[in-house]
Amino acid sequence: MRFSTSPLHGFYQIVDPSLLKAHLLQSIWYLHAQPPLYNLLIGVGLKVFGAHFSTAAWVAQIGLGLAIGITLYVVLVALGIARWWAAGAVTLFVVSPAVILFEYWLFYEYLVAALLLFALAAFLAFERAQTARRSLALFALLACVCLVRASFQIIFLLLVLAFMLALYPRAGRAILVGAAVPLLLVLGVYVKNWAIVGSPSTSSWTGMNLMQVVQTGFRDHEEQRLAARGIVSPITALPVFGALNSYKGIVRTPRHTGIPVLDDQRDPTAPQWNLNNLEYVAVSNRYLHDFFQVLFHDPMPYFRGVWDGIKRAVMPSSVYAWVADNRAKIGTWARWYDGIVLWQV
């Protein structure tokens, strides 16, 4: 097994490492494509550890794994599972191919898994004693999830808040006091992105993310027929998250700001485009408009795309292209585990 930091120089979600080293706070402030917390952690790590960043990140991932195992055990015991059964379940989990592979891969999935588990432990602690401090711990962890991964938006926090207020009506004041600062922090990112790029979200990629689902579901040149009917624009036929030069003439070139993370077209350290470039905001907005057009006039491509996603979701997490190199080294174990434990054939 080899610890992989490949996302640093190949993933759209991570800002160019040279910018994180040279312009960390500026790059984080003007980051609109992704929630800021994971890039902030990466940037701080690059500044502090320099050439030893990979080793430090590996140690951090192993630490997360240890914390996940201990917290999972504590949660199971708190839920009334016998200690030996809890220990067996945790052991079975931590030796799973998915846990092993994602621990050896530097990306936010492992951190999100840990944060969600810590939040569950915090919820169980709040259940035992409804105090503002324990409410703060829970909502701070959930806010961190929202500030790491764009799949979790503020509606996630609001749903948990509504659930807790309904579940513990007598602890309403403690719940609201604890939730106030984390909610305001996430809302602050929304307001900041709205002011800078006009996108009230932790990610300006909403349109591209939704259109990616639709494009997965297109069959037999459906997008061309929709374009011929004037329902969608020519951009729908272009792959999402494409090269900037592929959108020339479709969206207007944005103004030059003098801020590298907004102006740079390419990541100089990798053969990829800077998807935090301002032009991608207009691209995503155009995709969002076409997404709703498809959803209104012919929703079947969207439903097919969702179905494709569901089929992927029931596959083992270890069957993932970006961890394929390490999976090949534990292939026999992965096949046995997936077949016996996950009932995957």
Side-chain angles (χ1 to χ4, degrees):
M1 298 285 289
R2 292 179 62 86
F3 182 68
S4 173
T5 59
S6 59
L8 278 185
H9 303 291
F11 276 37
Y12 300 141
Q13 293 89 342
I14 298 179
V15 174
D16 170 20
S18 64
L19 290 181
L20 291 177
K21 290 179 183 178
H23 307 286
L24 176 59
L25 294 181
Q26 182 194 70
S27 298
I28 295 300
W29 176 257
Y30 287 101
L31 178 64
H32 57 79
Q34 286 289 295
L37 185 53
Y38 195 69
N39 275 280
L40 178 61
L41 294 174
I42 293 290
V44 171
L46 289 169
K47 278 184 170 290
V48 172
F49 297 103
H52 302 288
F53 172 79
S54 180
T55 302
W58 186 19
V59 172
Q61 290 279 102
I62 292 173
L64 272 180
L66 179 61
I68 286 172
I70 293 172
T71 306
L72 183 58
Y73 175 80
V74 170
V75 164
L76 291 175
V77 171
L79 291 173
I81 306 298
R83 292 181 180 274
W84 280 109
W85 281 106
V90 171
T91 301
L92 196 62
F93 176 74
V94 298
V95 301
S96 67
V99 170
I100 295 169
L101 293 170
F102 278 80
E103 187 172 288
Y104 272 72
W105 185 55
L106 181 64
F107 201 46
Y108 52 48
E109 305 290 16
Y110 209 51
L111 176 59
V112 169
L115 288 171
L116 288 172
L117 189 57
F118 300 160
L120 175 57
F123 174 78
L124 293 175
F126 182 86
E127 196 274 335
R128 292 193 298 271
Q130 288 92 52
T131 66
R133 182 175 298 178
R134 295 189 178 192
S135 172
L136 174 62
L138 169 60
F139 281 97
L141 287 164
L142 295 178
C144 287
V145 173
C146 293
L147 295 175
V148 167
R149 207 185 197 295
S151 297
F152 297 87
Q153 293 292 322
I154 198 169
I155 185 66
F156 175 59
L157 287 176
L158 294 175
L159 287 172
V160 174
L161 177 61
F163 171 76
M164 292 188 65
L165 289 173
L167 197 61
Y168 307 105
R170 295 183 179 179
R173 185 176 184 277
I175 294 170
L176 290 171
V177 169
V181 172
L183 273 168
L184 287 174
L185 186 61
V186 176
L187 184 61
V189 176
Y190 275 63
V191 173
K192 184 265 294 182
N193 285 347
W194 193 9
I196 294 175
V197 298
S199 178
S201 172
T202 59
S203 171
S204 59
W205 292 355
T206 303
M208 291 191 287
N209 284 327
L210 289 172
M211 183 53 72
Q212 188 171 42
V213 179
V214 171
Q215 289 185 345
T216 303
F218 276 141
R219 301 289 187 272
D220 301 324
H221 306 291
E222 284 178 314
E223 69 278 16
Q224 296 177 9
R225 290 196 292 271
L226 288 171
R229 293 165 56 192
I231 294 174
V232 298
S233 66
I235 200 172
T236 299
L238 299 175
V240 294
F241 303 105
L244 272 181
N245 54 18
S246 65
Y247 303 113
K248 294 301 180 185
I250 297 178
V251 297
R252 182 180 302 176
T253 302
R255 70 188 187 283
H256 185 80
T257 66
I259 300 165
V261 77
L262 295 178
D263 294 339
D264 288 355
Q265 292 194 351
R266 300 297 292 262
D267 180 345
T269 63
Q272 68 182 41
W273 295 84
N274 169 29
L275 267 83
N276 200 69
N277 184 287
L278 276 178
E279 190 169 335
Y280 280 107
V281 178
V283 169
S284 186
N285 290 339
R286 183 65 63 86
Y287 275 124
L288 184 62
H289 172 270
D290 284 8
F291 166 78
F292 284 114
Q293 288 290 97
V294 173
L295 201 62
F296 180 76
H297 291 279
D298 184 10
M300 281 309 299
Y302 172 70
F303 293 135
R304 289 193 209 106
V306 171
W307 177 242
D308 285 345
I310 291 172
K311 288 189 290 185
R312 289 192 185 95
V314 298
M315 293 294 291
S317 301
S318 61
V319 183
Y320 188 51
W322 292 102
V323 296
D325 288 346
N326 275 333
R327 192 182 195 279
K329 299 171 185 176
I330 58 169
T332 301
W333 169 241
R335 286 190 295 274
W336 278 96
Y337 190 97
D338 293 346
I340 295 174
V341 180
L342 302 182
W343 297 0
Q344 292 280 349
V345 295

Coordinates of all heavy atoms in Angstrom, one line a residue, residues 124-132 134-135:
L124 N -25.8 11.8 20.8 CA -26.0 10.9 21.9 C -25.7 11.5 23.2 O -26.4 11.3 24.2 CB -25.3 9.6 21.6 CG -25.7 8.7 20.4 CD1 -24.8 7.5 20.3 CD2 -27.2 8.3 20.6
A125 N -24.6 12.3 23.2 CA -24.2 13.0 24.4 C -25.3 14.1 24.8 O -25.6 14.2 26.0 CB -22.9 13.7 24.2
F126 N -25.8 14.7 23.8 CA -26.9 15.7 24.0 C -28.1 15.0 24.5 O -28.9 15.6 25.4 CB -27.2 16.5 22.8 CG -28.3 17.5 22.9 CD1 -27.9 18.8 23.4 CD2 -29.6 17.3 22.7 CE1 -28.9 19.8 23.5 CE2 -30.6 18.2 22.8 CZ -30.2 19.5 23.3
E127 N -28.4 13.8 24.1 CA -29.6 13.1 24.5 C -29.5 12.8 26.0 O -30.5 12.8 26.7 CB -29.7 11.8 23.7 CG -31.0 11.1 23.8 CD -31.1 10.2 25.0 OE1 -30.1 9.7 25.5 OE2 -32.3 9.9 25.4
R128 N -28.3 12.6 26.5 CA -28.1 12.3 28.0 C -28.3 13.6 28.8 O -28.7 13.5 29.9 CB -26.7 11.7 28.2 CG -26.6 10.3 27.6 CD -25.4 9.6 28.1 NE -24.1 10.3 27.8 CZ -23.5 10.0 26.7 NH1 -24.0 9.1 25.8 NH2 -22.4 10.7 26.4
A129 N -27.8 14.7 28.3 CA -27.9 16.0 29.0 C -28.1 17.1 28.0 O -27.2 17.4 27.2 CB -26.7 16.2 29.9
Q130 N -29.3 17.7 28.0 CA -29.6 18.8 27.0 C -29.0 20.1 27.4 O -29.7 20.9 28.0 CB -31.1 18.8 26.7 CG -31.7 17.7 26.0 CD -32.1 16.6 26.9 OE1 -32.9 16.8 27.8 NE2 -31.7 15.3 26.7
T131 N -27.7 20.4 27.1 CA -27.1 21.6 27.4 C -26.7 22.4 26.2 O -26.5 21.7 25.1 CB -25.8 21.4 28.3 OG1 -24.9 20.7 27.5 CG2 -26.2 20.6 29.5
A132 N -26.5 23.7 26.3 CA -26.1 24.5 25.1 C -24.8 24.1 24.6 O -24.5 24.1 23.4 CB -26.2 26.0 25.5
R134 N -23.4 21.1 24.6 CA -23.4 19.9 23.8 C -24.1 20.1 22.5 O -23.8 19.5 21.5 CB -24.1 18.8 24.6 CG -23.3 18.4 25.9 CD -23.8 17.1 26.5 NE -23.0 16.8 27.7 CZ -23.1 15.6 28.3 NH1 -24.0 14.7 28.0 NH2 -22.3 15.4 29.3
S135 N -25.1 21.0 22.5 CA -25.7 21.4 21.2 C -24.7 22.1 20.3 O -24.7 21.8 19.1 CB -26.9 22.4 21.5 OG -27.4 22.9 20.3

